[in-house]
Amino acid sequence: MDSSQLLKGVLDLAVLAVLAERDSYGYDVVRRLREVGLEDVGDASVYGTLRRLFKAGALTSYVVASDEGPHRKYYGLNDVGRSLLQTSAKTWTSFAATMNDLLKEVDPG
Amino acid sequence: MDSSQLLKGVLDLAVLAVLAERDSYGYDVVRRLREVGLEDVGDASVYGTLRRLFKAGALTSYVVASDEGPHRKYYGLNDVGRSLLQTSAKTWTSFAATMNDLLKEVDPG
DNA sequence: GCTGCTACTGCGCAATGCGTAGTACTGTGC
DNA sequence: GCACAGTACTACGCATTGCGCAGTAGCAGC
């Protein structure tokens, strides 16, 4: 199984979790996700997710000038985003628990 | 977050896990998945997954007559299916661990 | 023979991650 | 000052895959 399919429906959650730590911009979110182990995330996916979440009203956005390149579009969680994060985290946790239950019977010895 | 998106990329694994326990047919797989907690799986999704996995050479298939309805198309794991299950289970487990790491910093409370 | 349960198939849709290309700004080396 | 690399973001179209809905079909009980 290609892990890219696993990302479906979870990238939002991962991005929200990263932003909960501190405000950030696309390029940096990609780096941080890769650092924590999500090595295969494409940059376009992250930018797309950021835009979707912003459009959905879960993020704030502000532009900051940068020393080392073009301006940066920072994103941060607002109340909607924080509650979305909590809800999604719970959904994920219970889903993951269900899957682990299902799998433990077939775990390789 | 709608849990249906979480299923993407995991339904294969769930179906393989259920079949690992014992051979089964579509209608029954749906019931068993719902029993373990995957309440929202659509029947068409499961039948589609079964066909995809069969076409991919991971499943065997044989038809058995039934007392309570039309014939049943049983599916079972072959070697390809079993190794796919092991691989997918490992991928899932490590992915889930990564996500849990990411989330524990923002866990409510 | 109509209804309901069992069992499967087919079609088209929607969501979403990905690849590729393109825009644009900054600093470095020549 | 120009090419180039690194940073930062946008746009377009594609592939995968789960879902909804409709359709086919067998069997049981009334």
Side-chain angles (χ1 to χ4, degrees):
Chain A
M1 179 183 297
D2 176 7
S3 78
S4 74
Q5 286 301 319
L6 293 178
L7 265 186
K8 299 241 176 204
V10 177
L11 225 208
D12 285 24
L13 176 55
V15 168
L16 287 171
V18 164
L19 290 183
E21 213 184 314
R22 65 168 184 275
D23 286 11
S24 190
Y25 53 97
Y27 205 83
D28 186 50
V29 172
V30 173
R31 260 195 310 242
R32 286 161 69 192
L33 287 178
R34 288 188 176 152
E35 264 166 37
V36 297
L38 268 15
E39 322 249 347
D40 298 332
V41 289
D43 58 338
S45 302
V46 172
Y47 285 116
T49 299
L50 251 10
R51 267 176 290 181
R52 256 202 318 280
L53 288 173
F54 178 69
K55 200 175 158 197
L59 302 181
T60 56
S61 172
Y62 50 99
V63 170
V64 175
S66 165
D67 286 347
E68 22 179 354
H71 66 87
R72 292 167 173 169
K73 195 181 283 183
Y74 273 76
Y75 291 97
L77 296 184
N78 58 20
D79 287 345
V80 175
R82 265 182 294 274
S83 83
L84 183 59
L85 173 56
Q86 297 306 328
T87 309
S88 300
K90 268 176 204 149
T91 303
W92 158 261
T93 303
S94 93
F95 179 82
T98 299
M99 283 303 297
N100 285 336
D101 271 6
L102 187 57
L103 286 181
K104 75 172 170 227
E105 290 161 33
V106 286
D107 225 349
Chain B
M1 176 182 298
D2 176 7
S3 79
S4 74
Q5 286 301 319
L6 292 178
L7 266 185
K8 298 243 173 201
V10 176
L11 226 207
D12 285 24
L13 176 55
V15 168
L16 288 171
V18 164
L19 290 182
E21 213 184 313
R22 65 165 183 276
D23 285 11
S24 190
Y25 53 97
Y27 205 83
D28 187 49
V29 171
V30 173
R31 261 195 308 242
R32 285 161 70 191
L33 287 177
R34 290 188 176 151
E35 265 167 37
V36 297
L38 267 18
E39 322 249 346
D40 297 333
V41 289
D43 57 340
S45 302
V46 172
Y47 285 117
T49 300
L50 250 11
R51 268 176 287 179
R52 256 204 318 281
L53 288 173
F54 178 69
K55 199 176 158 195
L59 302 181
T60 56
S61 171
Y62 50 99
V63 171
V64 175
S66 164
D67 286 345
E68 21 179 355
H71 64 87
R72 291 167 173 168
K73 195 181 282 183
Y74 273 76
Y75 291 97
L77 296 184
N78 59 19
D79 286 346
V80 175
R82 265 183 293 274
S83 81
L84 183 59
L85 172 57
Q86 298 305 330
T87 309
S88 299
K90 267 176 203 146
T91 304
W92 158 261
T93 303
S94 93
F95 179 81
T98 299
M99 283 305 296
N100 286 336
D101 270 6
L102 186 57
L103 287 181
K104 75 171 169 229
E105 291 161 34
V106 286
D107 226 348

